[in-house]
Amino acid sequence: MIQGKTIICEEVFMQLVRLAAEKVENVRLYEGGSGGLMGFAKGLTGKNGSTISVEKTDAEMDENGTVTKGHAAFTLKVSVCCDANIPETIENLREAVVKEVMKITDFVVDKVDIVVARLDEPAKEAEPVAKAEETEKPADSTENQ
C-alpha cells in the first residue's frame, strides 16, 4: 500500500451536512435574514458560514504505523416546521449527519450541536386538481349530416 496523507476539507463536511439535512423532514438549514443579491449568491454557492461550522482533526499515523481516525464536530443552525416535534426532528437530523459523515469519510463524529433559530410555517398541501373530464363540458353529440 502506498503511504500518504489524505486531508478532507471543511467544505466537504459542510456538503455532507447539507445532504443529510435534505433527507430529514420538517427541518432545513437556516438561511438567515440576508436577502437580496448577497443572500442569493450565498444560496447558490452554499457559502453561508453561520449556518454550519466544522471542527475537525485529520487522521494520523504514528511511528508504529497505527492509524488514528479523524474526528469532526459540528454546529448547525436550522429552522424547523412549526407543527413538528422539535426534539424528535433534531434527533433525526443529528443521526442523519453522523451517518452521512461516517459513511463517506470514516471520521468519528464527536458531537453535533444544533441551534433551532426559527420556526417555519407548515407546508401547505396542494389542493387536489379537478379531473379533466369533470371540468370539461361534454361536446355536443349531434352530428350534422
Side-chain angles (χ1 to χ4, degrees):
M1 184 161 131
I2 298 175
Q3 298 291 320
K5 188 172 190 177
T6 301
I7 298 172
I8 301 173
C9 293
E10 285 84 2
E11 289 81 10
V12 172
F13 287 97
M14 293 169 82
Q15 287 178 304
L16 292 172
V17 168
R18 284 186 197 92
L19 289 172
E22 289 175 2
K23 296 176 184 177
V24 179
E25 291 184 34
N26 298 319
V27 68
R28 63 185 177 91
L29 295 174
Y30 181 68
E31 296 167 6
S34 66
L37 187 56
M38 286 302 292
F40 178 71
K42 284 181 180 181
L44 285 178
T45 61
K47 295 190 184 228
N48 189 347
S50 63
T51 301
I52 306 167
S53 68
V54 180
E55 296 175 28
K56 70 174 187 75
T57 55
D58 293 312
E60 297 197 9
M61 183 182 304
D62 65 16
E63 295 154 1
N64 300 329
T66 305
V67 176
T68 58
K69 286 188 176 190
H71 287 254
F74 302 93
T75 301
L76 317 176
K77 190 182 276 191
V78 301
S79 59
V80 177
C81 184
C82 69
D83 59 354
N85 179 294
I86 292 175
E88 180 181 313
T89 302
I90 296 306
E91 188 57 31
N92 290 342
L93 176 58
R94 189 173 281 119
E95 289 173 5
V97 168
V98 170
K99 182 179 177 182
E100 193 75 22
V101 169
M102 291 183 72
K103 177 178 77 172
I104 302 297
T105 68
D106 202 32
F107 271 56
V108 175
V109 178
D110 295 325
K111 68 178 181 172
V112 180
D113 292 331
I114 301 175
V115 177
V116 178
R118 189 176 112 165
L119 291 176
D120 286 335
E121 293 294 321
K124 294 181 181 178
E125 293 184 26
E127 292 184 25
V129 179
K131 294 180 183 176
E133 56 268 9
E134 292 176 11
T135 59
E136 293 178 6
K137 292 182 180 180
D140 189 4
S141 59
T142 60
E143 294 181 18
N144 292 335
Q145 295 178 346

